[in-house]
Amino acid sequence: MSMRTLPLVFINLGGEMLYILDQRLQAHSTSEENSVKGVWSENDRKRVMNDIIGTMFSKAFMEELLKPQKLYSHRTLKTVLTRLAHTSIMRLNPASMDRLYELMIMAFKYQVLLCPRPRDLLLISYNHIDTIRGFVKDTPVVLNQVDETHRKIIEVYTSLSEGEFQNLRQTLLLFFQDMHVRVSVFLRDKVQNPNGRFALPTSGPVPHGVEVPGLIRTFNIKGREVKRHEFPQGGSYTSPIREGCFSLHGDRVTRLGTNMYRVNHPEETHTSKNPSVKADDPPNLLAKEELNLLARLMGGMQVENSPGAETGFRINLFTTDREEEEAGATVGAEDTLSGVINIQAMQDVQVSKELARIAGQFADQGKQPEDPSSNKGDELLAMMDDL
C-alpha cells in the first residue's frame, strides 16, 4: 500500500465535491445579491466556495496531510469531507452527503480507470487544482493558498519513481473496487453499465511513450531486426498525443479531472437509490484510532454555535424534499438493522501543543469582518462542532 495516496485522494475528491456544489448552487441561484431570504444568491455561492477552499488548502492542514500515512477508510474520508463542506454557510443532511460522496467517488474512480499512465494521476489532480483556482480567482489570499499547495504537491510527487506511482494506482484501485454506484451522467454517456461497472474503451491514443500495438519485432543477437509479425490489436488505437504539463501552470492535455457538470443538467447529480458505501464489518478497534488521527489532522478543536444563531443555508442534492426524506429514512433503517456503532471522537483534555498551534492558525484564518447584511454564516471552522 502506498503511503502517498491520501493527499491525492483528498484533493481529487474535494475537487469533485466543489464541482457538484457549484453546479447545484448555480442551479438554485436567483440573483447577485441576498434579495430573498432563504434563497441562494451568487454572493452566497462565492462565499461557500471561498470558505471551503480556504479551509481545504490551509497551510497547517496541508502540511499534516502531505506526511506519509495510510489511506483512510470510506467512513473516515466521508467524515473529513462532511466537516469540510460544513465550514461554509451551507448545510447538508446525511442523505444528501451520502449521495454527494458517492458522486465524488464514482467520478474519481472513472478518472483513475481511464488514466493512461500511473504518473498521469498527477495531471488529473492538477486539472482539479486548476479548476479550483478559477473558483477563487477574485480572492487573492485563498488563491495564494491553492498555489502554495500546488507547489508542495509538485515537490513531493515529481521525484517518485514509476514503480511508486504504480503502487499508488494499485492502492486507489483497491480503495474503489467495491464501489459500483450508478450515476446518471455516466449512464447517459454509455460509459457505465446498468450494474454500475464502467465500460472502458478499446480505442483512442495510446499512452505517451508507448507504440501502437499490433506489431511484433524479432531481433538477432547483434540487435538487428530480422523479422516482423503483425497481430490483431483488438481495438482502434492511434499514436500518442503530446505529454501534459506537470508544472504549476500549463496545458494538461488530458480532460480527466475537469468539471463535467453543467448548470442546465441537474439530473447529473443523481445516483442509484441503493447506497453502496457499506458500514465497516464489524466495527473494529482501529476506528477510534483512525478518527483520532483525523482529529489531529484537522486541528482537534471545537466551536460552539451561539444560541438562536442561524446555522446556515440548506442544500438538497435530491430532486424533491420528499425524495430526500425517503432516502434519509432508508439510510436510517439500514443503520439500525446493521447495528452500526456511532463513534464520537472527543477532544482529549491534555491536547498537545502542536494541535493547539494548528487550531490557533485555523482560528486566525477564520476571522473575517462581520457582514451586517447577513447573519447566515457560521465561523470558518464550524466543521469541528460534531464528529
Side-chain angles (χ1 to χ4, degrees), residues 20 23-28 99 103 183-185 188 260-271 316-319 323:
I20 298 167
Q23 185 266 340
R24 297 306 294 166
L25 291 174
Q26 289 198 47
H28 291 292
R99 169 161 291 187
L103 286 167
V183 180
S184 61
V185 63
R188 186 195 65 200
M260 68 177 181
Y261 300 100
R262 297 292 181 270
V263 177
N264 58 343
H265 291 298
E267 73 278 0
E268 293 179 352
T269 59
H270 286 185
T271 61
N316 185 4
L317 291 183
F318 294 83
T319 306
E323 182 182 351

Side-chain angles (χ1 to χ4, degrees), residues 225-297:
E225 182 179 332
V226 296
K227 185 179 179 181
R228 287 194 173 195
H229 174 69
E230 295 184 354
F231 65 92
Q233 56 185 241
S236 179
Y237 299 102
T238 60
S239 300
I241 54 180
R242 68 186 188 281
E243 187 176 27
C245 178
F246 288 86
S247 301
L248 188 66
H249 300 283
D251 185 4
R252 313 302 178 189
V253 179
T254 180
R255 300 296 298 169
L256 298 175
T258 56
N259 193 348
M260 68 177 181
Y261 300 100
R262 297 292 181 270
V263 177
N264 58 343
H265 291 298
E267 73 278 0
E268 293 179 352
T269 59
H270 286 185
T271 61
S272 61
K273 291 186 178 180
N274 297 325
S276 66
V277 181
K278 301 178 181 179
D280 296 355
D281 298 325
N284 57 73
L285 297 178
L286 291 178
K288 185 175 181 180
E289 281 71 18
E290 199 170 40
L291 291 174
N292 287 337
L293 180 59
L294 166 63
R296 176 175 180 270
L297 182 65

Side-chain angles (χ1 to χ4, degrees), residues 72-85:
Y72 293 167
S73 67
H74 284 288
R75 174 183 291 179
T76 304
L77 266 177
K78 186 163 67 172
T79 301
V80 175
L81 293 166
T82 300
R83 294 162 74 100
L84 178 64

Side-chain angles (χ1 to χ4, degrees), residues 139-191:
T139 312
V141 175
V142 182
L143 182 60
N144 183 64
Q145 291 178 243
V146 177
D147 287 340
E148 186 61 30
T149 297
H150 197 167
R151 292 187 185 96
K152 290 180 180 179
I153 292 290
I154 293 174
E155 179 183 345
V156 170
Y157 286 91
T158 300
S159 61
L160 296 186
S161 66
E162 296 300 326
E164 289 173 311
F165 274 110
Q166 179 62 27
N167 187 23
L168 194 155
R169 180 178 181 273
Q170 289 297 326
T171 303
L172 285 173
L173 293 177
L174 288 173
F175 179 69
F176 293 135
Q177 66 178 353
D178 294 326
M179 299 293 294
H180 305 294
V181 184
R182 292 172 295 174
V183 180
S184 61
V185 63
F186 294 140
L187 293 170
R188 186 195 65 200
D189 294 340
K190 300 187 184 303
V191 298

